Amino acid sequence: VHSVGGWGALVIIYLLGARKGKFDSNGKPLAIPGSNIPLSAAGVLILWLGWFGFNGGSVLSADPANTSLVLVTTCLAAAAGGLGAALFSGLLYRNLDITMFMNGVLGGLVGITAGADQMGPTEAIAIGAIGGIVVVLGVALLDKCKLDDPVGAIPVHLFAGIFGTLVVPLSNPDTNFGTQLTGVIAVCVFSFVLSYITFKVLKQTIGLRISSQAEKLGTDVAEVGVKAYAIRD
């Protein structure tokens, strides 16, 4: 589920191109601050809460023990993902980036999703922490490739999603790595090809990107005529 969206997002940011000001003349990535970090943090907490229904409902069973296990593994993986991303990012960049923590939480949630009913608490913590680290490395990889992912959707949903899919056999004897890898490749081919065709056609017809002037003004001003954020230039 997550990697389907991740492959589609990868196609879109490739065809759309980077935001103005994301990379300097030498190709070095520049930070474009978010407009409201507290609101973003609130959104992550809402997602964390909603994931209990997402993973719990995916079990397709009302068995109390199994559902309770899913809720525990989901929560532990989320917490470990946030801590893993924050600590790893701190070691790499010598700062405490709350956005890395937030995306680490989501990376932990995505990483545990495929095997939430198969893992124990200790495994969930390990998978969540690694998922958070995968997100940090994924952000660095995209910057190196000059791909602009404003919200970190690809490291979270694509990279952590692939990781979570491939580690399911560690706790489920009914699956194996080859089967999971085949599924990952099949999803990649289907999602990437279909997304590329769809968005390439849109780009060549109605277009994907707003005008340079609208991008400079912001779509709040350009499209509805009201400034959404009281930010002084």
Side-chain angles (χ1 to χ4, degrees), residues 22-184:
K22 175 59 181 175
F23 299 99
D24 65 15
S25 57
N26 297 319
K28 180 181 178 180
L30 303 173
I32 300 179
S35 59
N36 195 319
I37 297 301
L39 202 58
S40 298
V44 170
L45 290 175
I46 293 169
L47 280 168
W48 192 335
L49 178 63
W51 228 280
F52 293 135
F54 180 60
N55 279 358
S58 296
V59 178
L60 301 179
S61 169
D63 178 64
N66 204 20
T67 302
S68 297
L69 173 64
V70 169
L71 301 183
V72 169
T73 56
T74 297
C75 194
L76 289 175
L83 290 174
L87 292 173
F88 188 67
S89 175
L91 290 173
L92 282 182
Y93 305 115
R94 304 297 178 186
N95 64 2
L96 294 175
D97 188 345
I98 185 64
T99 62
M100 284 295 190
F101 172 81
M102 293 189 294
N103 273 342
V105 168
L106 299 180
L109 288 166
V110 171
I112 197 61
T113 292
D117 62 334
Q118 306 291 327
M119 309 295 179
T122 302
E123 294 165 315
I125 292 172
I127 289 171
I130 297 172
I133 293 172
V134 166
V135 168
V136 176
L137 293 174
V139 170
L141 176 62
L142 290 181
D143 284 343
K144 191 175 182 64
C145 295
K146 309 294 188 298
L147 293 172
D148 182 16
D149 180 0
V151 297
I154 293 168
V156 168
H157 294 285
L158 179 56
F159 299 155
I162 290 174
F163 164 71
T165 302
L166 295 179
V167 297
V168 170
L170 294 178
S171 61
N172 187 344
D174 296 328
T175 61
N176 60 72
F177 181 80
T179 300
Q180 298 299 100
L181 182 60
T182 300
V184 167

Side-chain angles (χ1 to χ4, degrees), residues 185-207:
I185 294 172
V187 168
C188 167
V189 173
F190 173 81
S191 303
F192 191 92
V193 172
L194 187 61
S195 297
Y196 188 86
I197 294 172
T198 301
F199 290 104
K200 186 68 173 178
V201 170
L202 290 175
K203 183 175 182 178
Q204 297 299 323
T205 53
I206 64 174

Side-chain angles (χ1 to χ4, degrees), residues 34-36 39 217-221 226-233:
S35 59
N36 195 319
L39 202 58
L217 291 172
T219 53
D220 49 352
V221 176
V226 176
K227 199 164 188 177
Y229 305 101
I231 300 174
R232 291 184 173 85
D233 297 328

